[in-house]
Structures are given as C-alpha cells and as structure tokens.
Amino acid sequence: MAALGARLCSLLLLLAALAGLGAEAKNSEDVRCKCICPPYKDHSGHIYNKNVSQKDCDCLHVVEPMPVPGPDVEAYCLRCECKYEERSSVTIKVTIIIYLSILGLLLLYMVYLTLVEPFLKRRLLGHSQLIQSDEDIGDHQPFANAHDVLARSRSRANVLNKVEYAQQRWKLQVQEQRKSVFDRHVVLS
Amino acid sequence: MSQRLPGDQRAAPPAQLFHRGYYRNSYNSITSASSDEELLDGAGVIMDFQTSEDDNLLDGDASIGTHYTMTNGGNINSSTHLLDLLDEPIPGVGTYDDFHTIDWVREKCKDRERHRRINSKKKESAWEMTKSLYDAWSGWLVVTLTGLASGALAGLIDIAADWMTDLKEGICLSALWFNHEQCCWGSNETTFEERDKCPQWKTWAELIIGQAEGPGSYIMNYIMYIFWALGFAFLAVSLVKVFAPYACGSGIPEIKTILSGFIIRGYLGKWTLMIKTITLVLAVASGLSLGKEGPLVHVACCCGNIFSYLFPKYSTNEAKKREVLSAASAAGVSVAFGAPIGGVLFSLEEVSYYFPLKTLWRSFFAALVAAFVLRSINPFGNSRLVLFYVEYHTPWYLFELLPFILLGVFGGLWGAFFIRANIAWCRRRKSTKFGKYPVLEVIIVAAITAVIAFPNPYTRLNTSELIKELFTDCGPLESSSLCDYRNDMNASKIVDDIPDRPAGTGVYSAIWQLCLALIFKIIMTVFTFGIKVPSGLFIPSMAIGAIAGRIVGIAVEQLAYYHHDWFFFKEWCEVGADCITPGLYAMVGAAACLGGVTRMTVSLVVIVFELTGGLEYIVPLMAAVMTSKWVGDAFGREGIYEAHIRLNGYPFLDAKEEFTHTTLAADVMRPRRSDPPLAVLTQDNMTVEDIENLINETSYNGFPVIMSKESQRLVGFALRRDLTIAIESARKKQEGIVGSSRVCFAQHTPSLPAESPRPLKLRSILDMSPFTVTDHTPMEIVVDIFRKLGLRQCLVTHNGRLLGIITKKDILRHMAQTANQDPASIMFN
C-alpha cells in the first residue's frame, strides 16, 4: 500500500510537471514563424525563421530582406508557405532529465542486484550457504536466495524487515515470471 | 498439476507446471489487496456468499427458514460457537489462482449484490448517500485517472524516444536534451536543400575525429551508430530480464486473453509498467524494426489496473476490472496514434471480449482525456496529435481503384506470409535451443539491423519519419530526392498543384533504395516481432505498406505521364493536370498491410483517416482494407494476435469463430469411457481428510457436490481453491476440526454420535447454481453458452442425474481437434 502510494505520488507529480509546463508562459525562443519559399526565377529556395506572433506570421513580415524587387513581391510571396509553430523546451528538458534519472537509478539497482548483492551475501554468510535448496539447483539468476531469506525474515516485524520481506517477495515473483517467460516459454513466446 | 497444500514441505515433482513456492503464507496478511502481486498470496479479498433459501423440502426436511445462515441442528454438543451463527466470510475465498480463468457469472453476481447493498442503505444517512454517490462515480474517476496517466506516459515516451533515436547520430551541443529537429529549430543557417543541417548539431564523427564529411567520418558515424544501437538493445533486454520479464513482447495477445477472463498476476503491475515504459524507449531508439503502439496499449492497461485498485468497486471484482481495462486499451491506442475514435473501435473490435454500452462511453471518455493530456504536453512541437498529417486534398479517380485493390492484395499476401513466418520462427524459438539465449538473440538482431540499415538513407531514418515522408506529396516546397522531378522551369504562372512530371534521376535512385528497404524490413520484422523487448507491429507494417504504395504510386504516375493517350488516363487525366498523388497510394498501402496482418476492419479505416486527416479518401481505404482482409482470410482465418494466442495455448474462446460441427455434449464431456469416474464430493458423507486426499490426488479445479452416491442428484459445485482455503482456515481458527471431522455442505448438519468431532460447515463456499446441460445438447449450443455467459465449466446431466463435466479447456481442445489442429497445445485452464 505504501509502495502504491509512493508510486501514485510520483506519477501525479510527473503529470503535474508535464501538464503544467506544457501550459506555462512561453519562452520567447520557443515560438517561431517558419516560411518556406521555393525557387523563383533565378533565386534559389530559402527558409526564413522569425520570432513573431501568430497574427504577424505571413510572408511580408517574416521574409527579410526581400530578395525580389517590388513588383515581384506578390508573386514570390504567393508561393511561400508560412507556418506558426511553438514548442516547450522546458517540457522537453524536464522530461529527458526525469527519464535519464529513472534509467540511471534502474541501472544502478540492476548492477547492485546482479553483482554486488551476491558478492556481499557470499562474504557475510560464508560458503555453507552456497548449497542451495533443492528447488534452486543450478539457478544462477539473481534472487536465488530469496526462499531462505523469506523464511527467515518472517519472524521479526520492524520496518526494515518489512521492507526486506517485501523485497524478497518481489524477487520471488520476478523469478517465477522469469521461469515462465525465459525458461519454460510458457507465456509470451 | 498437483497443488501443494500449505504446510506441505515436500519438494514439487519436476513435471509440475507452476511452482507454488509463494503460496506458503496464504492468510497471515489479511489486508485488502492493493495490487495484483499481493493477491498472489491469497491475501484477504473478502467474498460474501449470501446463503439463499434452500430446497429443504426436497430433502424431506420440513424446517422452513428464510435466512438461515448456519445452525447447529441436532448436535448434542450444544455450545453454540459464535462463529457458527455469524456468516463470517472466509478471507481468500472468491479469488482466483494465477493462470486460471475467472467465473464471469459469479463476479457479476457479486457486483450486483454489492450494488443492491449500497443502494438499500442509501436512504439511511447522508454518509451512506455520499458513499453511494462515490460508488456510482468511481468508474468515471478511474477512467479519468487512467486517461491522464496514459497521456502523460505517452508524452514521456514520445519525447524520450525522439531524443534517444537522434542520439545515435550526434548530439546538440548548445542544449544536450534537444534532438536533431529541435536543435536546429531556431537556427537561421538552415537552407532550402539541406533543411536539417545547422552548426549546433554535431555528429559523432565531428566530435570524435573532427571531420564532418568524407569517408573517415562516414565510417566513424557508422561505428557510433552500431555502438549506440547495440548499447540500447542490450540495456533494454537486461532491464527486462532482471526486473520484469512480463514486459517483453507486444502485450496485445495477453491483454486480449486477460480481457476474456484469464488471470495473469503481475502482468499489469507496477514494475511491469515502469520497465515497459523505460525499455520501450530504448528498444525504439536502438533502431530495431518495431513500433510502440502495442506496448502503449499494455502501458495504458497497466495504468488502468493500478488505478482500479484504489477503488473497492473494482479491486475486488475481476469482471468490473475488465471494463476499466477495455477503456484503458482505448486510451492506449488513442495516444499511440492520436486517434480517439479509432482507439475506441480498436478496443471494441480487437481487444475486448465483452463490451457493454456503458464501456463504450467510458472508453471514449478515457481516449479523449488521454489525447487531451498528450496534446497539452505537445511532444511534436506543433500542437498536433496527428503524426502523419497530410495536407493535400486532390481528388482520386475511379480507375485508381485498380491499383488500390492491387495494394490490398499485396497487403493480404504480406499479412499471410508474415503470420506464417513469424509463428514458425516463434515456435522454433519456443521449442529449440534458439530460445535459450534471449539476450544474445536481441543483440544479434539489433546488430544485423544496425549494420544493414545505416547505408540506406530510408532505413536509417526513424520509421515514423519514413512514413511521414512517404505520405507527403511532392509539392513545390519539397526537396528530397523522392521529389526530384524534372520541372518545367519556364512555367512562371503560379500553379497550386504541380502537374504530373517525368521523373528525374533522383526519383529512380530513390525507388531502388525503397525497394531494398522494403525487402529488408519484410525480413527483419519477422525476426523482430516477439523478441524479449517491448515490440509493436503497427509501425513496421505501415512502413512496409507505405513503401510499396509509394512505389506503385510513382509507377502509375509515370505511366500516366508517358502514356496519357491510353483509355483510362484520357478519360480522367488531362495533360497538364495533377492527376496522380503518390502519397495517397502510400497511405492506402499502409492501411492494406496493417489490415492484412491484424485483420482489423472498421477500426483500421477510422485510425488511418484520423491519423492523416484525409476524409476524402475513405473509399479507397475501405476498398484496400477489405481486399486485404479477403485475401488474407483465404490463407488463414487468424490475425497475428489470435495466432500468438494459439501459439501460447491461452484459453481464449474466440467470439469470431463459429463452431459448426454436430457433436453432442456427451462426446466432449469428461469422464470419457476410459477415464476414472468423476471425482465428486458428497453432501455430508465426507470427512476433512477425505477431501484433502481427493485434492491431493487429483488436479481438477473443482468438484461437483452431490447428495449421495446412489442418487447422484446435484447440489452444487465447489472450487478447489475455495476448498483448500476454507479447510485450512478452519483448521487454524475453529476449534475441534480434525482430520475425521465431517464436512457438511447442506443447510443442516446430520445428527452425529456424541464423541465425534465438530463438523465443518462449508456451505458458504458452495456455488448453488452451477450451469447444467443434458448429454444430448448439441455442442453448438454448449459453445454458445460458454461464450455468451463466460462460463468456466458446465455440468452434464442425464435424466436428472449428474453424468460428467465440460470445462472450457475441453471445449478448446475439441474445437482444435475438429479444426485439425493439435489439441495438446491448449495449456491453460
């Protein structure tokens, strides 16, 4: 329940951040009027960008300096296509930072689970514990010790052990899933 | 499959399918379940069976009672235990095991009971009134939250995927978080011919060896591309393997099965959601030939599942939860394509099993909320949801239906080929040693894809970008090599549509490259769909169809230019008019290929016209989609998702298939003549030990309860899981229950001698209304009953006496047998 609450809070924070930033006051660099003008007579095609408001987004305001002389301006401008675009660079920055931080945390946790934890357990518990229970013979996956820890930790009931208990239960579930999907190919083949 | 009773520490036999290690600590945590994973422990879902009035009169028992709960009739041991008089529901009864089918009838009854109870208390006080209002509105609240979460996650995925895809090419030095397009957004140095070059964006070759052009930089870019692609693919598959193995694959076959009543615990959980979101971005960024639409449906359904646990109306009822999941899948497709209506239709046609009208409205609401949130996040920078917006409105002509139908035929053929090839490859992966090395497989596929994709500019592109480029028609503003036509430079008058022109060399080289890209994508998608990273199928199929369509479009366009005196073209195409739009052919081709592989009909047409905004083109789209469906159906009736369901052996009773054989219920029911007799429980003759032995020796999921072995008259049906939980709870909590205690399923306990131990009353877990058919019922009707009511099992009677049982698995096996498929492939119950 606590985990769900925490997850919900983080999700709502993410929602608020993204939606709020999307509607934030626009950074002046984040709007533009983009006019694409095709080749005309002997002038090559060109793209013009300018930071104007939406009502001023047309060829006459944006195309500067005008490459064609006066009487041809209308013909030139009729071929040009102008579009008003806006974006939110803050949203993009925040999203990428959130994503990379979650990815980084997951990578660290993965390295911890696969490399550091078995190493620590082996040093703490000694070699006798390396003889696995008969169900896990040959199981070199991470979480292989979950059964024993689960059985042992049920007696104590303070917060740290509750966390560890939940973690071991999660590891057991992931191990089951891994067996179904990767080893026995029963689901999701 | 033998089920271990808790407390039994024997090692499981090696042939056991499902390891029950985590079942040991069933009811120590009697909290309300806050997620699927906790339900795995059997933790307290309170189920409430109201005992109904009994048919006492048939027993010859003349006691008349309306709401007896449990009585102590006739017992010399007269101390009435409090527990007997209270109708205390046993926690855990009414939940389901992992990989089992739910009982729709029971869940719907539970929901109606709950609703009645809340309504009856409504008038008592203001608090009760508030509770009833909250209950009524909780459905809307759940779908709103689901839509919000789906939209937010889709925005995150889109932005992150765009950035990481461009990370393979280079990096934006002024702002590291911008992708290529965003980096060059405000720059003034972009030219007409090279719209994506700007000094702030540096390719890896420029950064590492300092050169921007030349063979050295090409090779450096190639190496960095392969490096990044492999890195992302390896990260993705390791994260999936370590944290959430259920996050791989597309997800739609499993969601279809879940929505039809199957339970896969953990499939829609928090870790699966997080890992699927993160690894989807990595998988798309690594350049593999996959899309993100199917996985987005899975992500949305995870959100729906997680939010439904906040509301008791949905967390305790599996049938109501599936209504929320239908709405969530509509939201998923809506954010994937920017097509809310298409999303609802997709949920209706492809994903959902039961789709009542209330779900239609809620799905539309969820899709709309999700689309709105995505739009406000604005990931594409142009306030558009639509990825492939087409801006042309040129008309199409009647003779063009011929190439459109040809594209439909191509789509159907490709769909049939892809389904066969992919299933063959997946089957090989499932059963031989190819499947033992999933990480290596992903790395090899990513390496091959990266090595072959880089040289061809059309495959180096992000697949969505490729589709957008193919859908766009060549106007005066385009300058890609696909639009390198020989222009008549003397024309100075302003023309809005450019007439048909002969192709320049750029177009011919583009067609060659597109042909190679087509072959490459066709082959790689067969091997990519189904690997152990999140992978979708929509975008690759649309890309293949778009490439084929564009090639056909250019061919027809050139044919119209060079042979404008042929009958067809003379009728409709004048010289100098803009007749053929190759972009439209690409659109039709994309729809045809997607229809050929998934066999969607209406939902596909709606999705494509919502994607492109091209409402004028509904008729060509429909023609092509119908043709591709007919051609595809000629080779095999199943779409790709049904084929994967059959490959995995899920117990999915397809509502679209018709069963037309003349077998009777007696032919399908168990036990057959050679089988041991039906395992039954008697109403009050069995002891606790007898029942435990029966449960240990057999592997059936439920047992009919009869009055006595002589009369074989049916009383009800008891499920294995409920029996196990009830007996264990009784042994722990009630005093005096030992192995030789009588188990009584009837209203009144039989009179027992004085020294006998206390009887155990298990009436509350008995299903008093099992469905029965007679042995002469045709199987067509039986299959219809199973489909329409969502049954798990059905009892067969003969002349009023119990004869046998038909389960959903038997029906699926029978249907497989009559269709000449392998009946042993049905694996689950």
Side-chain angles (χ1 to χ4, degrees), chain A residues 1-4 7-8 11-12 14-15 18-19 21-23 29-32 34 36-41 44-50 74-75 78-81 83-100 102-103 105-107 109-110 113-114 134-136 141-143 147 150-151 154 165 169-170 172-174 176-189, chain B residues 4 11 16-19 21-22 24-25 28 34 37-38 40-41 99 148-149 152-153 155-156 159-160 163-164 177-178 182 184-188 190-193 195 235 238-246 248-249 254 264-267 270-271 273-275 277-278 281-282 306-307 309-310 376-378 381-383 391 426 429-430 435-436 438 476-477 491-494 532 644 647-648 650 827-828:
Chain A
M1 201 57 210
L4 178 65
R7 182 109 185 89
L8 195 60
L11 194 61
L12 285 174
L14 175 68
L15 283 174
L18 287 177
L21 291 171
E29 297 170 355
D30 280 347
V31 301
R32 70 173 180 183
K34 177 173 167 178
I36 307 181
C37 293
Y40 176 69
K41 287 190 183 165
S44 60
H46 208 276
I47 297 185
Y48 300 92
N49 283 329
K50 198 166 169 191
E74 193 181 332
L78 271 172
R79 293 163 188 260
C80 288
E81 185 184 299
K83 245 188 322 194
Y84 177 74
E85 289 177 351
E86 59 179 330
R87 69 170 182 187
S88 170
S89 54
V90 184
T91 308
I92 297 178
K93 181 158 85 165
V94 168
T95 309
I96 300 287
I97 291 178
I98 291 178
Y99 178 78
L100 286 179
I102 297 181
L103 183 64
L105 284 172
L106 280 177
L107 282 179
Y109 194 34
M110 179 167 81
L113 282 177
T114 48
D134 49 12
E135 287 134 343
D136 297 327
Q141 315 277 4
F143 317 161
H147 282 294
L150 201 58
R154 212 168 319 134
Y165 176 66
R169 195 175 66 179
W170 169 68
L172 219 52
Q173 285 164 5
V174 174
E176 285 304 313
Q177 289 179 9
R178 206 182 288 135
K179 281 199 186 133
S180 304
V181 175
F182 287 102
D183 299 334
R184 288 190 298 249
H185 293 279
V186 158
V187 199
L188 285 165
S189 49
Chain B
R4 281 202 275 186
Q16 185 186 18
L17 267 182
F18 304 108
H19 182 64
Y22 48 77
R24 290 181 214 176
N25 54 340
N28 288 332
S34 62
E37 285 89 0
E38 284 171 38
L40 272 172
D41 284 349
F99 298 117
L148 289 174
L153 286 173
L156 172 94
I159 295 178
W163 179 72
M164 288 197 100
W177 51 87
F178 279 151
Q182 299 294 324
C184 295
W185 205 74
S187 149
N188 277 329
T190 54
T191 62
F192 186 77
E193 284 77 25
R195 298 185 191 193
L235 266 182
S238 338
L239 282 174
V240 164
K241 184 159 184 192
V242 170
F243 288 115
Y246 278 163
C248 62
E254 284 73 27
I264 306 180
R265 298 246 183 255
Y267 196 73
K270 309 182 273 288
W271 275 98
L273 172 64
M274 182 157 62
I275 297 295
T277 311
I278 306 278
V281 173
L282 288 170
I306 291 173
F307 284 122
Y309 273 101
L310 298 175
S376 67
I377 294 179
N378 196 10
N382 53 0
S383 285
E391 286 168 313
C426 287
R429 185 173 36 216
K430 187 169 153 157
K436 298 268 185 274
L477 305 172
S492 61
K493 58 180 169 43
I494 300 146
K532 301 294 183 240
H644 270 273
L647 175 70
N648 282 313
Y650 298 138
M827 299 199 35
F828 299 95

